[in-house]
Amino acid sequence: MGLWVAPGLLLAMALTLHLAEASAPPHRDYCVLGAGPAGLQMAYFLQRAGRDYQVFERASRPGSFFTRYPRHRKLISINKRHTGRTNSEFNLRHDWNSLLSHDPRLLFRHYSRAYFPDAGDMVRYLGDFASRLRLRVRYNTAIAHVTLDKDRRAWNGHYFILTDQKGQGYRCSVLLVATGLSVPNLVDFPGAEYAEGYESVSVDPEDFVGQNVLILGRGNSAFETAENILGVTNFVHMLSRSRVRLSWATHYVGDLRAINNGLLDTYQLKSLDGLLESDLTDLAVVKDPKGKFHITLKFYVEEGNQSAEAVPLPQDDSDNFAMRVAYDRIIRCLGWNFDFSIFNKSLRLSSGGEFSKKYPLVRPSYESKGSRGLFVLGTASHSVDYRKSAGGFIHGFRYTVRAVHRLLEHRHHGAAWPSTELPIAQLTSSVLRRVNEASGLYQMFGVLADVVLVKENGTAFEYLEEFPMQMLAQLETVTGRQARHGLFVINMEYGRNFSGPGKDVFFYDRSVGYTEDAWQSNFLHPVIYYYRQLPTEQEVRFRPADWPLPRPAAIHHIVEDFLTDWTAPVSHILPLRRFLENCLGTDLRGFYAESCFLFALTRQKLPPFCQQGYLRMQGLVGTGSLRQHRVASGLLQGYAAAGKRSEDSGQRPGFQEPADQPQAPGPLDQPLTGNKEEL
Amino acid sequence: MMSFSFNGFRVGISFVMMCTVYKSAVNSLPELSPQRYFSTLQAGKASLAYFCQADSPSTSVFLEELNKAVKPLQDYGISVAKVNCVKEETSKYCGKEKDLLKAYLFRGNILLREFPTDTLFDENAIIAHVLFALLFNEVKYITTPEDLQNIENALKGKANIAFSYVRAIGTPEHRAVMEAAFVYGNTYQFVLTTEIALLESIGMEDIKYAHLYFFHCKEVLDLTQQCRRTLMGQPLTTVDIYRFIKSMEAPLLTEVAEDPQQVTTVHLQLGLPLVFIVSQQATYEADRRTAEWIAWRLLGKAGVLLLLRDSLEVDIPQQANVAFKREEGMPVEFLVLHDADLVISYVENNTHIEETREDEADDMEGPDMEMQDDEVAESVYRDRKRQLPLELTVELTGETFNATVMASDSIVLFYAGWQAVSMAFLHSYVDLAVKLKGTPTMLLTRINCADWPDVCTKQNVTEFPVVKMYKEGENPVSYSGMLGTEDLLKFIQLNRISCPVNITSIQEAEEYLSGELYKDLISYSAVSVLGLFSPAMTTAQEDFTEAGKYLKGYVTTGIYSEEDVLILSNKYTATLPALLLARHKERQVESIPLANTHAQDIVQIITNALLETFPEITVENLPTYIRLQKPLLILFSDGIINPQYQKALLTLAKEKHLDSVIPCWLNLKNTPVGRGILQVYFEILPPLPVLVVVNLHSGGQVFAFPSDQAITEQNLLLWLKKLEAGLESHITILSAQEWKPPLPAYDFLRMMDAAASQHPTRKGPEGMKETDIQENDIQPEDKSAARNERIEL
């Protein structure tokens, strides 16, 4: 194969000929577009798996977005360096900047001491991440064009042909697009040209001294801009279509974070600065001879002639119109869109419709709806959980990228989704461990969920971590695991009615303390769904409104906890065990070897804990003091003392059987009555 | 804003309180014309009239409810009528439009109030509103804690207060309070609120339900002192409020010197029990103080009396210090309760029953699901406050793990601090450290995987607890024995020597077989295994070595492959390659040929060889015998086994008569749980020793050797033959029940469905808003508000 082809020649051939195999461009199994956080994260997983991959980066270093943005240099992703815990997985819940790797030096807390770090530190971090892990990144390579080349032998029935700015082509089996959102969002209205963009506006407050400033937009960039100039301007007005959404009320990190909300203070306290709601597309800006800007309605501008003095203004009719004052500057902070321009139409990479025009349309597996084998990663993949979860941010997409990698490992390399198989007696512990430490579940609540696949006879289970829960119906085909005997899905959720703009999240009685009210928990808490069989695609698609998953056979909420520490024996563990037991129709209690011994000689069946421990010579012996506690608790009779059959057996609380469940075995005394019946 | 402002209607209605119950012959709603109606009005009498158009439908929900209210209102002397507005007679009370129709309350011919019909949404609301309007002097409606404080201050030394909180006006609880006020409004100051904040200000957190407090202000003379409060424990119904107030009227403490059986007070009539505190002259003062304290605590729940023992003519038990009379006609129980709190809890537990039954019908789901029924979790929890001597084991961290296990031979316990089984085993582990203290064997370490999950994952630990042994130059070995002190100790001790041990001389081999070589290990491994190979048998040696490694920590193995191996094989009549098994207790050496045996089979041979012919069965060793899938022949013995029986059974075993069973014995002294087993087999513990055959694996039948026969070889043999022939009948069959969930789980799905199908009652900001509306709108004269009052009932 001709591996060395002059770029010019290749371009010429590409224009004139169908690319023949002999002149095929260099091939990679995986091509990653963009060496930002998501691209590097994917590169890391591909590298660890020993895959053939290449990252293409337009700039000369990773994370170029962060060299310019955010303009005021302060990241609003928290860098919590101290949690009082040593659990590295748990600590990632409050480290929103690190990428996932096996190298503890590559944790962001080693790069910045600031709670809200400087963007420069992120650039430095990403640089180290790429170089220390020796990720294969091709810098200074701007992919200008992506097309499809149909080929039946290709993994996905086609190859992706990438062409860079020099005309060099690359052929890829799988294309991973991690280019982020790079095109500033523009709104078209008369006079839009007078607005300066966030991307280029001055960040020096001196330039705003004594000015009237109008900011278009209501996101974090708008508030960040306002925050910077609040002290020197006459006033700042902010205009956007929708009401302000405070992230602590919506529980969505993309909404306005408390760190940027200084303007709300002066607006609400002193009517100094202000927020206004209007559809920007209805507006028009006219410039007067003094260079000041006046807000009017598009409708007026279209009606009258275009000269500035003659344009009617709203205040002509209504003399208390809010924006009747003239502005010195108008700044546009309307966010970014995905750059669709480099993708050929044949890739059918389209925007996500009404609600997420800024994002390309992808499936819950992050695969493009238009082209098999094209996956969108990182910020650009946020259409999956826009305004819901954290998939548009580093602390969220580091996990969705891992999920995509796991899907690819199965699809192309036959490696089933990693799982741990354990005896059923370990089920309660396995679930507890994850809900108490897992960061992926915690960040990507409602998107990634753990799945427990029950094995035949219910004696064992497989534990799969952080599976994209909207793919549940296709779980068997995309993971290579079998779900024939029932499954549990472990998700983290806020209360159904708790989050939303304008909701009072501080209302009295907001926290739930009783386990029987756990389903009304408001703060993020674990919810476990049980299905007897995999839901179908139909069931997932047409699930009840507000439900993240189809209606399960049973559901359990672990009651919210102020410390997010769900290890309390009675409030957290016991109700969870009862739920799992009732779903599986078995007894998941732990027993000491002595109890197992008794059961082994007095019953034909043993509880799973005894079967899987004691009978395999791994019984739990216990100590004298624990035995005394057992006797004291009434869960064990002091056998040494029992000379005659105890008549008060029913009064021992632990093994007492509910009257309506005569079939449930009472480990110690039930056999007595059972025998009578059988004799 | 919320205070009452209809001073214009301030007319005395005390007659209402005094009037005898006015009985009407008819309970149905009379229908009158306006003229006729006004002619029936009597001075001073209250009347509720509903004005409606003559052509309006004769039935409506409101009319049905009004009809139901006729009788109760008549009982309070209030007449009710439906007035048909006919064209000929115009009345200002007849609205112009159909939907403007209202009900009006008159006293004589004076209008007291008008009610939009939607205020009077049901029978309870009608009665509550009408009484509320009539009793506005007797029932003070308040909205702030200050209002309550003012009333309290004003009444100190004068009168007691009945303060109640209801969730809204027009509720059944509101009606009950108003009915009580009708009767007691002269005697006590009734105070009513719908403000949650007010309820909270007096320390009540349960705001879901209506509550009634009795404020004992009358005896308060010092104005700076607070009135004592008694909370009514029952739900607010008319009858219960009546009973409660009645019990408040009864004297706090009564002294009696008569037979408690004969004593009766108003409490018994009210269905409340009596508690007698037995007193003697010597301790009278103290007893009285105690009794008063108890009386305050039990106010409204029971009557408390001081029983003077010294002046008593009947005998009561000497020890008893409390007597309890549950109800009239029931015998008095005499109790010994050494603590006033015990008296309270005894009474509360014994009077509780009736109430909980009502509760259960409502929302109790049966058994208490929050009762811990996991013995491991419960015992660990109960022990949580005890300080374990954890310092005897080295706590590892992510930073120290690798360095530690590389620097010295270590045992590592991987556990999770929140997992009960882990923590139970940690107890044993610490006990082991205590035992090994000062003996330099291995470093005992532990790591909490809840703190260092990455270390545990890296060590392939996915469940808890796990014990691993790290030795220099060797792969870590997982411990797979019993999770207890003894077995882990054995594992550690046997791991001190390599496995198999390389024996290099005949003399050493003999010492090894006699137990001399590893004297201190004999107690951990009752059998020493020696593989004999000629130097050329490399494959066989490898197999044996592999088997030895597998059994490391569980049994001592050695290997001998010197040129002079024939000396040993000849001596022990073994054909090479062979195994020699030295049973130290029996001082026997047995040989087993090993031709072409793979490692796995060697492990099996050795494992089987470790089994005894007639073992004492224990908690620890039962699993190894159960694996054999044969019925157990167990001799239960209280203490050491009678040598005669042992001999009989051993003889039978030797003669291969017992091959179809596993003969064993159980020492109840060592294994007390054996009694529990016998109880299952026999129901009543039989005289010991007793011999049974338990068919664990097929059918679960239990057979008992006849107790009237001596345990001899002959008798046993005969009995076993009969058993095999099916001529013996079993004494019991072991339960074959599956292990189902011990208790049900919360059915959150059902609760969510129920909430979704009703109006939104769930906790959330919206629910809160509705509450706000309700709170602001309960002002009685606010006509538009009534619609909201039912929300969240």
Side-chain angles (χ1 to χ4, degrees), chain A residues 7-58:
Chain A
L9 174 62
L10 185 103
L11 188 64
M13 286 168 66
L15 288 170
T16 52
L17 308 164
H18 180 76
L19 283 173
E21 196 169 295
S23 63
H27 174 87
R28 293 277 177 231
D29 288 346
Y30 295 95
C31 293
V32 183
L33 293 191
L40 296 181
Q41 186 66 85
M42 181 49 101
Y44 169 75
F45 290 119
L46 291 169
Q47 174 126 329
R48 292 285 281 182
R51 301 297 165 214
D52 174 40
Y53 78 95
Q54 180 77 59
V55 183
F56 298 93
E57 168 59 43
R58 170 181 14 203

Coordinates of all heavy atoms in Angstrom, one line a residue, chain A residues 7-58:
Chain A
P7 N 0.4 15.1 -0.4 CA -0.9 15.6 -0.1 C -1.6 16.1 -1.3 O -2.8 15.9 -1.6 CB -0.7 16.7 0.9 CG 0.6 16.4 1.5 CD 1.4 15.7 0.5
G8 N -0.9 16.9 -2.1 CA -1.5 17.5 -3.3 C -2.1 16.4 -4.2 O -3.2 16.5 -4.7
L9 N -1.3 15.4 -4.4 CA -1.7 14.4 -5.3 C -2.9 13.7 -4.8 O -3.9 13.4 -5.5 CB -0.5 13.3 -5.4 CG -0.9 12.1 -6.2 CD1 -1.2 12.4 -7.7 CD2 0.3 11.1 -6.2
L10 N -2.9 13.4 -3.5 CA -4.1 12.8 -2.9 C -5.4 13.6 -3.1 O -6.4 13.1 -3.5 CB -3.9 12.5 -1.4 CG -5.0 11.7 -0.8 CD1 -4.5 10.3 -0.6 CD2 -5.5 12.4 0.5
L11 N -5.2 14.9 -2.9 CA -6.4 15.7 -3.1 C -6.9 15.7 -4.5 O -8.1 15.5 -4.7 CB -6.0 17.2 -2.7 CG -7.1 18.2 -2.7 CD1 -8.1 17.8 -1.5 CD2 -6.6 19.6 -2.5
A12 N -5.9 15.7 -5.4 CA -6.3 15.6 -6.8 C -7.1 14.3 -7.1 O -8.1 14.3 -7.7 CB -5.1 15.7 -7.7
M13 N -6.6 13.2 -6.6 CA -7.2 12.0 -6.8 C -8.6 11.9 -6.2 O -9.6 11.4 -6.7 CB -6.4 10.8 -6.2 CG -5.1 10.5 -7.0 SD -4.0 9.5 -6.1 CE -5.0 8.0 -6.0
A14 N -8.7 12.5 -5.0 CA -9.9 12.5 -4.3 C -11.0 13.3 -5.1 O -12.2 12.9 -5.1 CB -9.8 13.1 -2.9
L15 N -10.5 14.3 -5.8 CA -11.5 15.1 -6.5 C -11.9 14.4 -7.8 O -13.0 14.5 -8.2 CB -10.9 16.4 -6.9 CG -10.7 17.4 -5.7 CD1 -9.8 18.6 -6.1 CD2 -12.0 17.8 -5.2
T16 N -11.0 13.6 -8.4 CA -11.3 13.0 -9.7 C -11.7 11.6 -9.6 O -12.6 11.1 -10.4 CB -10.1 13.2 -10.6 OG1 -9.0 12.6 -9.9 CG2 -9.9 14.6 -10.9
L17 N -11.2 10.8 -8.7 CA -11.4 9.4 -8.8 C -12.1 8.9 -7.5 O -12.0 9.5 -6.4 CB -10.1 8.6 -8.8 CG -9.1 9.0 -9.9 CD1 -7.7 8.4 -9.6 CD2 -9.6 8.5 -11.2
H18 N -12.8 7.8 -7.6 CA -13.2 7.1 -6.4 C -11.9 6.6 -5.8 O -11.1 6.0 -6.5 CB -14.2 6.0 -6.7 CG -14.7 5.3 -5.5 ND1 -15.6 5.9 -4.7 CD2 -14.3 4.1 -5.0 CE1 -15.8 5.0 -3.7 NE2 -15.0 4.0 -3.9
L19 N -11.8 6.7 -4.5 CA -10.5 6.3 -3.9 C -10.3 4.8 -4.1 O -11.1 4.0 -3.5 CB -10.5 6.7 -2.4 CG -10.3 8.1 -2.2 CD1 -10.5 8.4 -0.7 CD2 -8.9 8.5 -2.6
A20 N -9.3 4.5 -4.8 CA -9.0 3.1 -5.0 C -8.2 2.6 -3.8 O -7.6 3.3 -3.1 CB -8.2 2.9 -6.3
E21 N -8.3 1.2 -3.6 CA -7.7 0.7 -2.4 C -6.2 0.9 -2.4 O -5.6 1.2 -1.4 CB -8.0 -0.8 -2.3 CG -7.7 -1.3 -0.9 CD -8.2 -2.7 -0.8 OE1 -9.5 -2.9 -0.9 OE2 -7.4 -3.6 -0.6
A22 N -5.6 0.8 -3.6 CA -4.2 1.0 -3.7 C -3.7 2.3 -3.1 O -2.7 2.4 -2.5 CB -3.7 0.8 -5.1
S23 N -4.6 3.3 -3.3 CA -4.1 4.7 -2.9 C -4.9 5.1 -1.6 O -5.0 6.3 -1.4 CB -4.4 5.7 -4.0 OG -5.8 5.7 -4.2
A24 N -5.4 4.1 -0.9 CA -6.2 4.5 0.3 C -5.4 5.2 1.2 O -4.2 5.0 1.4 CB -6.7 3.2 0.9
P25 N -6.0 6.2 1.9 CA -5.3 7.0 2.8 C -5.0 6.2 4.1 O -5.5 5.1 4.3 CB -6.2 8.2 3.2 CG -7.6 7.6 2.8 CD -7.4 6.6 1.7
P26 N -4.1 6.7 4.9 CA -3.7 5.9 6.1 C -5.0 5.6 6.9 O -5.9 6.4 7.1 CB -2.8 6.8 6.9 CG -2.8 8.2 6.2 CD -3.3 7.9 4.8
H27 N -5.0 4.4 7.4 CA -6.2 3.9 8.1 C -6.0 3.9 9.6 O -4.9 3.5 10.1 CB -6.5 2.5 7.7 CG -7.6 1.9 8.4 ND1 -9.0 2.1 8.1 CD2 -7.6 1.1 9.6 CE1 -9.7 1.4 9.0 NE2 -9.0 0.8 9.9
R28 N -7.0 4.2 10.4 CA -7.1 4.0 11.8 C -8.4 3.4 12.1 O -9.4 3.7 11.5 CB -7.0 5.4 12.5 CG -5.7 6.1 12.4 CD -4.7 5.6 13.4 NE -3.4 6.3 13.2 CZ -2.3 5.6 13.1 NH1 -2.2 4.3 13.1 NH2 -1.2 6.3 12.9
D29 N -8.4 2.5 13.1 CA -9.7 1.9 13.6 C -10.5 3.0 14.2 O -11.7 3.1 14.0 CB -9.4 0.8 14.6 CG -8.9 -0.5 13.9 OD1 -9.0 -0.5 12.7 OD2 -8.4 -1.3 14.7
Y30 N -9.9 3.9 15.0 CA -10.6 4.9 15.7 C -10.0 6.2 15.4 O -8.8 6.4 15.6 CB -10.6 4.7 17.2 CG -11.3 3.4 17.6 CD1 -10.6 2.2 17.8 CD2 -12.7 3.4 17.8 CE1 -11.2 1.0 18.2 CE2 -13.3 2.2 18.2 CZ -12.6 1.0 18.4 OH -13.3 -0.1 18.8
C31 N -10.8 7.2 15.0 CA -10.3 8.6 14.8 C -11.1 9.4 15.8 O -12.3 9.4 15.8 CB -10.5 9.1 13.4 SG -9.5 8.2 12.3
V32 N -10.4 10.2 16.5 CA -11.0 11.1 17.5 C -10.8 12.5 17.0 O -9.7 12.9 16.8 CB -10.4 10.9 18.9 CG1 -11.1 11.8 19.9 CG2 -10.5 9.5 19.3
L33 N -11.9 13.3 16.9 CA -11.8 14.7 16.5 C -11.7 15.6 17.7 O -12.7 15.6 18.5 CB -12.9 15.1 15.6 CG -13.1 14.5 14.2 CD1 -14.1 15.2 13.4 CD2 -11.7 14.5 13.5
G34 N -10.6 16.2 17.9 CA -10.5 17.2 19.0 C -9.8 16.6 20.2 O -10.1 15.5 20.7
A35 N -8.8 17.4 20.7 CA -8.0 17.0 21.9 C -8.4 17.8 23.1 O -7.6 18.3 23.8 CB -6.5 17.0 21.6
G36 N -9.7 18.0 23.2 CA -10.3 18.6 24.4 C -10.4 17.6 25.5 O -10.0 16.4 25.3
P37 N -11.1 17.9 26.6 CA -11.2 16.9 27.6 C -11.9 15.6 27.2 O -11.4 14.5 27.5 CB -12.1 17.6 28.7 CG -12.1 19.0 28.3 CD -11.7 19.2 26.9
A38 N -12.9 15.7 26.3 CA -13.6 14.4 25.9 C -12.7 13.6 25.0 O -12.7 12.4 25.1 CB -15.0 14.8 25.3
G39 N -12.1 14.3 24.0 CA -11.2 13.6 23.1 C -10.1 12.9 23.8 O -9.8 11.7 23.5
L40 N -9.5 13.6 24.8 CA -8.4 13.0 25.5 C -8.9 11.8 26.4 O -8.2 10.8 26.5 CB -7.7 14.0 26.4 CG -7.0 15.2 25.6 CD1 -6.3 16.1 26.7 CD2 -5.9 14.6 24.7
Q41 N -10.1 12.0 26.9 CA -10.6 10.9 27.7 C -10.8 9.7 26.9 O -10.5 8.6 27.3 CB -11.9 11.4 28.4 CG -12.5 10.4 29.4 CD -11.7 10.3 30.6 OE1 -11.8 11.0 31.5 NE2 -10.8 9.3 30.6
M42 N -11.4 9.9 25.7 CA -11.6 8.7 24.9 C -10.2 8.1 24.4 O -10.0 6.9 24.4 CB -12.4 9.1 23.6 CG -12.7 7.9 22.7 SD -13.3 6.4 23.6 CE -15.1 6.5 23.2
A43 N -9.3 9.0 24.1 CA -8.0 8.5 23.7 C -7.3 7.6 24.8 O -6.7 6.6 24.6 CB -7.0 9.7 23.4
Y44 N -7.6 8.1 26.1 CA -7.0 7.3 27.2 C -7.6 5.9 27.2 O -6.8 4.9 27.3 CB -7.4 8.0 28.5 CG -7.1 7.2 29.7 CD1 -5.8 6.9 30.2 CD2 -8.1 6.5 30.4 CE1 -5.5 6.1 31.3 CE2 -7.9 5.7 31.5 CZ -6.6 5.5 31.9 OH -6.3 4.7 33.0
F45 N -8.9 5.8 27.1 CA -9.5 4.4 27.1 C -9.1 3.6 25.9 O -8.8 2.4 26.1 CB -11.0 4.5 27.2 CG -11.5 5.0 28.5 CD1 -12.3 6.2 28.6 CD2 -11.2 4.4 29.7 CE1 -12.7 6.7 29.8 CE2 -11.7 4.9 30.9 CZ -12.4 6.1 31.0
L46 N -9.0 4.2 24.8 CA -8.5 3.4 23.6 C -7.1 3.0 23.8 O -6.7 1.8 23.4 CB -8.6 4.3 22.3 CG -10.1 4.6 21.9 CD1 -10.1 5.7 20.8 CD2 -10.8 3.4 21.4
Q47 N -6.3 3.8 24.3 CA -4.9 3.5 24.5 C -4.7 2.3 25.5 O -4.0 1.4 25.3 CB -4.1 4.7 25.1 CG -2.7 4.4 25.5 CD -1.8 5.4 24.8 OE1 -2.0 5.9 23.7 NE2 -0.7 5.7 25.4
R48 N -5.5 2.4 26.6 CA -5.4 1.4 27.6 C -5.9 0.0 27.1 O -5.4 -1.0 27.5 CB -6.3 1.7 28.8 CG -5.8 2.9 29.6 CD -4.6 2.5 30.5 NE -5.0 1.8 31.7 CZ -4.1 1.4 32.6 NH1 -2.8 1.6 32.5 NH2 -4.5 0.8 33.7
A49 N -6.8 0.1 26.1 CA -7.4 -1.2 25.5 C -6.5 -1.6 24.4 O -6.7 -2.7 23.8 CB -8.8 -0.9 25.1
G50 N -5.4 -0.8 24.1 CA -4.5 -1.2 23.0 C -5.1 -1.1 21.6 O -4.8 -1.9 20.8
R51 N -5.9 -0.1 21.5 CA -6.6 0.0 20.1 C -5.8 1.0 19.2 O -5.0 1.8 19.7 CB -8.0 0.6 20.3 CG -8.9 -0.3 21.2 CD -9.2 -1.6 20.6 NE -9.7 -2.5 21.6 CZ -9.4 -3.8 21.7 NH1 -8.6 -4.4 20.8 NH2 -10.0 -4.6 22.6
D52 N -6.1 0.8 17.9 CA -5.5 1.6 16.9 C -6.3 2.9 16.8 O -7.4 2.9 16.3 CB -5.5 0.8 15.6 CG -5.0 1.5 14.4 OD1 -4.0 2.3 14.6 OD2 -5.6 1.4 13.3
Y53 N -5.7 4.0 17.2 CA -6.5 5.2 17.2 C -5.6 6.4 16.9 O -4.4 6.3 17.0 CB -7.2 5.4 18.6 CG -6.3 5.9 19.6 CD1 -6.2 7.3 19.9 CD2 -5.4 5.1 20.4 CE1 -5.3 7.8 20.9 CE2 -4.6 5.6 21.3 CZ -4.5 6.9 21.6 OH -3.7 7.4 22.5
Q54 N -6.2 7.5 16.6 CA -5.5 8.8 16.4 C -6.4 9.9 16.8 O -7.6 9.9 16.4 CB -5.1 8.9 14.9 CG -4.4 10.2 14.6 CD -2.9 10.1 15.1 OE1 -2.2 9.3 14.6 NE2 -2.5 11.0 16.0
V55 N -5.9 10.9 17.5 CA -6.6 12.1 17.8 C -6.2 13.2 16.9 O -5.0 13.3 16.7 CB -6.4 12.5 19.3 CG1 -7.3 13.7 19.7 CG2 -6.7 11.4 20.3
F56 N -7.1 13.9 16.4 CA -6.8 15.1 15.5 C -7.1 16.4 16.2 O -8.2 16.5 16.7 CB -7.5 15.0 14.2 CG -7.2 13.8 13.4 CD1 -8.0 12.6 13.6 CD2 -6.1 13.7 12.6 CE1 -7.6 11.5 12.8 CE2 -5.8 12.6 11.9 CZ -6.5 11.4 12.0
E57 N -6.1 17.2 16.3 CA -6.4 18.5 17.0 C -5.9 19.7 16.2 O -4.8 19.7 15.7 CB -5.6 18.5 18.4 CG -5.6 19.8 19.1 CD -6.9 20.5 19.4 OE1 -7.8 19.7 19.8 OE2 -7.1 21.7 19.2
R58 N -6.8 20.6 16.0 CA -6.5 21.8 15.2 C -5.4 22.6 15.8 O -4.5 23.1 15.1 CB -7.8 22.6 15.1 CG -7.6 23.9 14.4 CD -8.9 24.8 14.4 NE -10.0 24.2 15.2 CZ -11.3 24.5 15.0 NH1 -11.6 25.2 13.9 NH2 -12.2 24.1 15.8

